[in-house]
Amino acid sequence: CFRMVPWGYVQKLWEEQKWHFGLLVVVALVCWLVDSVTGLAVGTMVALLVTGKETARGHAEISITAAENKRTWDGSPEMIAIDALAMDNVDLARKEKMDSDSESEDSSEESVVEAQLASAAKNHSHMAYAPEFEQFAGGRKGRFDRMVSETPGLFTNDEPLSPTVRGDRVFLYKFLGQVDFLAGDRHVDRFQAMLASGPKAVVIALQNVPWVDPDGMEALRDIVTMLDEKKVRVYLACPRPKVEASLEQEEWYQEKIAECQRVFPTEKSALIAAVGLSRDLENSGVPDAAMGL
């Protein structure tokens, strides 16, 4: 039986994945001391728990429009990436308390934010400096501290991009994977943090979502309802047929999204609609195909 052991794979686990090597040893011992069925059951359950924990992190990509609504040649807005996992460190309760305390002061929250933006060292080409998300503060050290890009001019040509001002911001939230009971609340929390930064519209990209379970659908409902109550326009981009069929059965989707004609086949067309068609693009006669329409 020793000749059947994939020793090369075992060695690779030992060198690169110590935790998985330990799980392999435990499963092998249980199979040897108890029986193979019990060992395989233990290994399967532990692996599923680990996978569930990783899925519960709610993987996603978040971007925000660049200052002055800069456009590319085809009218697409230039975007700045934000670390989605870093947003999970935001203390929303403490943030809400700070916001409520600031209302009693003469200076508005927007002026404070603009002062922080002006004083920031913008040396990160594709990470928005967003002081509304507390974990991005320059003096705070943590697990997701910002790192200087090794290619600072790759996305910006001349100088790093800055995010648009409060009240004129458009976010792109791209789900990576299914929306289910494991990660639904995590996504809702991120949208709460985004809402605190003063967006005018949010584009939700669903092309990477293979399916949505009932709890995930409730999370989407909460997200859309929360944004709608704050007068933030919501656009959906490229939902898959299975997901779109599930959405069409929801009353909130028909009322707040479909009837308003805010479902688009591509991210580009949804972003252009959210930001607004620039006069230069209207006068240039760029064809609809270039805009992804």
Side-chain angles (χ1 to χ4, degrees), residues 140-159:
R140 179 171 177 175
K141 301 297 183 182
R143 180 180 178 185
F144 296 104
D145 289 343
R146 188 180 304 172
M147 299 179 65
V148 178
S149 172
E150 297 179 358
T151 56
L154 181 59
F155 302 99
T156 60
N157 295 327
D158 297 326
E159 59 182 9

Side-chain angles (χ1 to χ4, degrees), residues 163-188:
T164 45
V165 297
R166 291 177 60 88
D168 195 36
R169 295 174 175 174
V170 175
F171 283 94
L172 170 63
Y173 193 96
K174 184 186 301 184
F175 288 97
L176 299 179
Q178 71 272 11
V179 183
D180 54 18
F181 70 99
L182 290 172
D185 292 340
R186 185 65 58 89
H187 293 299
V188 173

Side-chain angles (χ1 to χ4, degrees), residues 85-249:
L85 295 180
M87 289 179 62
D88 299 336
N89 287 343
V90 176
D91 187 343
L92 293 177
R94 180 156 54 92
K95 178 66 174 62
E96 291 176 358
K97 182 178 185 301
M98 293 175 60
D99 290 342
S100 62
D101 293 341
S102 64
E103 292 178 358
S104 61
E105 300 177 359
D106 295 334
S107 59
S108 64
E109 181 184 6
E110 182 175 358
S111 63
V112 174
V113 170
E114 294 305 320
Q116 289 176 310
L117 285 171
S119 61
K122 302 179 181 63
N123 59 345
H124 308 284
S125 62
H126 50 282
M127 176 72 77
Y129 182 83
E132 298 84 356
F133 306 147
E134 296 176 359
Q135 75 283 352
F136 289 146
R140 179 171 177 175
K141 301 297 183 182
R143 180 180 178 185
F144 296 104
D145 289 343
R146 188 180 304 172
M147 299 179 65
V148 178
S149 172
E150 297 179 358
T151 56
L154 181 59
F155 302 99
T156 60
N157 295 327
D158 297 326
E159 59 182 9
L161 296 173
S162 301
T164 45
V165 297
R166 291 177 60 88
D168 195 36
R169 295 174 175 174
V170 175
F171 283 94
L172 170 63
Y173 193 96
K174 184 186 301 184
F175 288 97
L176 299 179
Q178 71 272 11
V179 183
D180 54 18
F181 70 99
L182 290 172
D185 292 340
R186 185 65 58 89
H187 293 299
V188 173
D189 290 342
R190 290 179 189 153
F191 276 92
Q192 289 178 342
M194 289 162 53
L195 187 60
S197 72
K200 73 173 183 180
V202 175
V203 175
I204 302 176
L206 299 173
Q207 68 267 32
N208 296 318
V209 179
W211 54 271
V212 181
D213 73 357
D215 293 300
M217 192 63 68
E218 285 297 304
L220 289 176
R221 180 187 64 82
D222 293 342
I223 289 169
V224 172
T225 302
M226 174 178 59
L227 294 173
D228 184 70
E229 290 177 350
K230 297 297 183 179
K231 309 301 181 183
V232 177
R233 300 193 304 274
V234 182
Y235 298 81
L236 295 187
C238 38
R240 294 187 180 184
K242 183 177 181 180
V243 175
E244 187 174 15
S246 299
L247 288 171
E248 289 176 349
Q249 300 176 9

